[in-house]
Amino acid sequence: MTVEEILAKLVSYPVLGGESNLSIIHWIKEYIESYGIATTLVPNEEGNKASLHCRIGPAVDGGVILSGHTDVVPVEGQEWTTNPFELTDKGDGKLYGRGSCDMKGFLACCLAALPEMVKTELKKPIYFAFSYDEEVGCLAGPELAKAIHTDYNEKPKCAIIGEPSLMEPIVGQKGIYILETYVNGSAGHSSRIKQEVSAIHEAMRLILWLENKMNQLIEDNRLDERFHPPHSSIHIGLVNGGIAANVIADKAHFYWDLRTIPMDDIESIVAEFKAFCRQREEELRQIFPSFKIDTIENHPPVPLLDTKADDDVVDLVKRLSGKSKINTVAYASEAGQFANEGFQTAICGPGSIAQAHRANEFIAKEELVKGMQMMRHLIHELSSDTFQ
């Protein structure tokens, strides 16, 4: 199968984050095993989802992991001009379909290169590591990275996460944490605003604290110019509460998104916020004893990536991609989770992140060509006696 034929097959599986991915992972499993490569599934507790990993080449230290996710984001509410789950070629040099860019294009390149990987006498192994539920919090990444660390006697050296980067080597990613804060106040007539505790008013104070915290980090010169923006960001994305203009709200909640540069610590910022919440509880329980603020995680924190510019994986990805400029990103990926398992990790893949998650998502055909070139360069590198 050509890379475009494989991509068409992958796009045809409408596997959304949070849903079972067994249909697409079993097709991938059968495809890989048809070339004589044994695969291992890493299922979730319910057994309705699974990651997959495998090794191509000898069982020796120093191999390279190629990793990507099998799930995509929803299309509901978006104005698509084509069937999002049917890869469409309009003759404009682009291939349209949900996941074509993020990130089934990279998976298709891995699978299309498999026949050449198998027939080449590799001196160092190549590993595939394909996950589920990346789009809802990178939930399977830690377990998949750990499985590769423990299931093989040898240890891979590098991991390349194929998120769409226009083939640019990415060495840094902000840490990401999404939380929900719930405020329980007291209902009453709006004229009694000083005798009751408005959940909305208190939620706004908490939101203002978060914004001020972000601004304080900037003022304290907590900056890393490798990132855009160069500071940790705190964003409130959803606020809800109240039933009428003349009723004091007894319930309010908001969702917030925290993205930290390497010098800032996610847990410290959250702990400081919760300390402020406890302070507000103490003050306002004098008015309403049942006043309460609860903050829960929407999904577990996604660790940051902070690969050093002189790490071997950076030089490797530069050679594979043909690009010498390195960069950073603010979006979530599983890269930090692989780095936490001891693998030197970088992000590099075909397609542009600007096309991800939107209607009429596409990957340029020339990007698939570049992705396949990267695979051929990797095969050449790992079949050389000089590769370290």
Side-chain angles (χ1 to χ4, degrees), residues 8 11-14 75 78-90 95-100 359-361:
V11 167
S12 72
Y13 289 101
V75 299
Q78 295 184 335
E79 296 184 2
W80 283 75
T81 58
T82 62
N83 181 347
F85 297 107
E86 180 180 341
L87 193 67
T88 302
D89 185 349
K90 296 181 180 180
L95 298 172
Y96 295 84
R98 174 57 88 221
S100 58
N360 303 312
E361 176 184 348

Side-chain angles (χ1 to χ4, degrees), residues 298-316:
N298 181 271
H299 64 68
V302 179
L304 58 84
L305 176 69
D306 189 21
T307 300
K308 305 308 177 186
D310 58 355
D311 280 353
D312 291 341
V313 68
V314 178
D315 283 338
L316 172 63

